[in-house]
Amino acid sequence: MFNDIFPNVQMDQMWVATYETFYMTIISVVGTFILGILLGLLLYLTNRGNLWQNSIINSITASVVNIFRAIPFIILILLLFPFTDFLVGTIRGPNAALPALIIGAAPFYARLVEIALKEVDKGVIEAAQAMGAKAHTIIFKVLLPESMPALISGITVTAIALISYTAMAGVIGAGGLGDLAYMQGFQRRNFDVVFLCTVFIVVIVFIFQFLGDWSSRKVDHR
């Protein structure tokens, strides 16, 4: 029955492609979360009226974030080919996609982090300062814990964007379901392969969305 509906689909290839998509997404989400938190904290803390107020550093950081957010992902991959080749030793395969995925998504997430931190009640921060709390204590005991539900919601949105990025990266040989859909499906006019790859990608999106919503509810004690 399955072979009648999907005559051109080879499930061994499908499972390998699914693994590669999960691999690229999970590793890039972790990298994006770390880099995005750092950039978001820098944007927030160096802004006017905050702990590390510094207009020069804030302007430089904001400019870097805005520039990378403005570059379309498919172009960013091409621009980063020399850097990727130097860092990974190849421009093909799932590992080669990781630098572009992280660099492309981290600035987007950094802005979500900044927005989440701005939502933290100023009174809580002022109370911590009044008790003599140092900057690192305020960051790790007040800012990040208080904004954690929004940070998780933000990384969930970013993770779903990264899944679509992996599909785009697949078009230029990064592997994953995007690669399979394009190379084995579209180019050979095997549209059953394209359709099944799409179904698998949608399922992966639902999995990440469910995990993100569940995690956000778990840490939200309001």
Side-chain angles (χ1 to χ4, degrees), residues 85-109:
D85 191 30
F86 170 77
L87 192 66
V88 184
T90 180
I91 58 172
R92 296 183 65 84
N95 286 329
L98 294 176
L101 289 169
I102 294 170
I103 292 172
F108 171 75
Y109 182 57

Side-chain angles (χ1 to χ4, degrees), residues 44-111:
Y44 173 79
L45 293 171
T46 58
N47 205 355
R48 186 173 56 188
N50 290 329
L51 294 174
W52 298 341
Q53 178 176 322
N54 189 312
S55 59
I56 295 174
I57 294 177
N58 186 265
S59 297
I60 293 171
T61 307
S63 297
V64 170
V65 166
N66 291 338
I67 288 169
F68 279 98
R69 283 178 65 206
I71 302 173
F73 180 70
I74 196 72
I75 296 175
L76 181 64
I77 295 176
L78 301 176
L79 287 173
L80 290 175
F81 267 178
F83 174 72
T84 301
D85 191 30
F86 170 77
L87 192 66
V88 184
T90 180
I91 58 172
R92 296 183 65 84
N95 286 329
L98 294 176
L101 289 169
I102 294 170
I103 292 172
F108 171 75
Y109 182 57
R111 284 299 185 186

Side-chain angles (χ1 to χ4, degrees), residues 33 48 51 57 67-68 70 86 106 109-110 112-113 115 119 129 137 141 164 169 176 187 189-190 193 212:
F33 184 77
R48 186 173 56 188
L51 294 174
I57 294 177
I67 288 169
F68 279 98
F86 170 77
Y109 182 57
L112 297 180
V113 171
I115 292 168
E119 295 298 316
Q129 288 176 312
T137 303
K141 298 292 185 181
S164 69
Q187 287 199 335
R189 296 296 188 267
N190 295 330
V193 176

Side-chain angles (χ1 to χ4, degrees), residues 25 29 153-166 201 204-210:
T25 304
V29 164
S153 295
I155 198 62
T156 303
V157 172
T158 308
I160 291 168
L162 278 166
I163 294 168
S164 69
Y165 286 178
T166 64
I201 288 171
I204 292 171
V205 167
F206 272 91
I207 290 170
F208 274 88
Q209 187 67 60
F210 171 79

